[in-house]
Amino acid sequence: MGKPGTTHLIKLCVGAETVEDLLDWQRDPRAKGQDGLPRCVTRMWPKRVDELLAGGSLYWVFKGLVLCRQRVLRLDEVTGADGIARCAIVLDREAVRVAATPKRPFQGWRYLTPEDAPRDLPKGRESEEPLPQSLQNALAEIGVL
């Protein structure tokens, strides 16, 4: 989940209810850069670039739960149709499932320390059928997940 000196980002996954929804969207050409890698375009440019690129990931929050992460490969500057420069967070295609962890709503993205990052699910559990969202929420609230 990163080496010493690493930081991560955490962001709400707006418009997707499941990890599969996110991955489906990222397969769409509109969600990719010219190199075919998925990216997330934001207004703000992270100031802690070196720490983020030292093995950092973008952790995705779905309906109040952190459910997966994608490794951050690089940051590209992109200019929108409105002429405004933005930051494209270029991501690994692989989404690593993490232990469902509750997270209250927030705007934009936030930094996430390695100590506060949800742990990756053990190998073999990534492909299990996910629990219903309401059950995941309940188990996460009591600290079981």
Side-chain angles (χ1 to χ4, degrees), residues 7 10 13 16 23 34 42 44 46 54 57 60 63 72-73 76 83 86 116 126 128 137-138:
T7 195
I10 188 166
C13 194
L23 296 176
Q34 291 181 340
T42 69
M44 302 302 291
S57 291
W60 291 104
K63 297 182 105 179
V72 175
L73 302 178
D76 291 345
R86 293 180 171 83
D116 293 332
E126 312 93 343
E128 289 179 2
N137 289 346

Side-chain angles (χ1 to χ4, degrees), residues 1-7 53-55 114:
M1 286 197 298
K3 51 191 170 195
T6 298
T7 195
L53 297 178

Side-chain angles (χ1 to χ4, degrees), residues 14 57 60 66 80-81 85 96 106 109 132 137-138 143-144:
V14 179
S57 291
W60 291 104
V66 183
V96 177
F106 58 93
W109 51 262
N137 289 346
V144 174

Side-chain angles (χ1 to χ4, degrees), residues 100-145:
T101 306
K103 185 69 178 170
R104 293 183 181 261
F106 58 93
Q107 290 185 343
W109 51 262
R110 300 283 184 265
Y111 290 109
L112 179 67
T113 65
E115 301 81 39
D116 293 332
R119 63 178 165 64
D120 291 354
L121 287 178
K123 294 292 180 202
R125 287 201 45 207
E126 312 93 343
S127 61
E128 289 179 2
E129 190 67 31
L131 296 172
Q133 193 74 43
S134 59
L135 183 55
Q136 285 186 39
N137 289 346
L139 291 172
E141 282 181 28
I142 61 172
V144 174
L145 289 180

Side-chain angles (χ1 to χ4, degrees), residues 30-119:
R30 295 173 293 170
K32 298 177 183 179
Q34 291 181 340
D35 57 7
L37 292 170
R39 62 188 187 159
C40 173
V41 178
T42 69
R43 283 188 309 120
M44 302 302 291
W45 193 280
K47 293 181 179 17
R48 298 164 65 180
V49 175
D50 291 339
E51 294 171 64
L52 183 58
L53 297 178
S57 291
L58 176 59
Y59 284 76
W60 291 104
V61 181
F62 298 84
K63 297 182 105 179
L65 287 175
V66 183
L67 296 179
C68 73
R69 68 178 178 87
Q70 289 178 287
R71 193 167 51 93
V72 175
L73 302 178
R74 67 177 189 274
L75 304 176
D76 291 345
E77 184 174 310
V78 295
T79 304
D82 55 7
I84 297 174
R86 293 180 171 83
C87 178
I89 304 167
V90 180
L91 303 167
D92 192 329
R93 287 182 182 94
E94 179 186 7
V96 177
R97 307 297 173 116
V98 299
T101 306
K103 185 69 178 170
R104 293 183 181 261
F106 58 93
Q107 290 185 343
W109 51 262
R110 300 283 184 265
Y111 290 109
L112 179 67
T113 65
E115 301 81 39
D116 293 332
R119 63 178 165 64

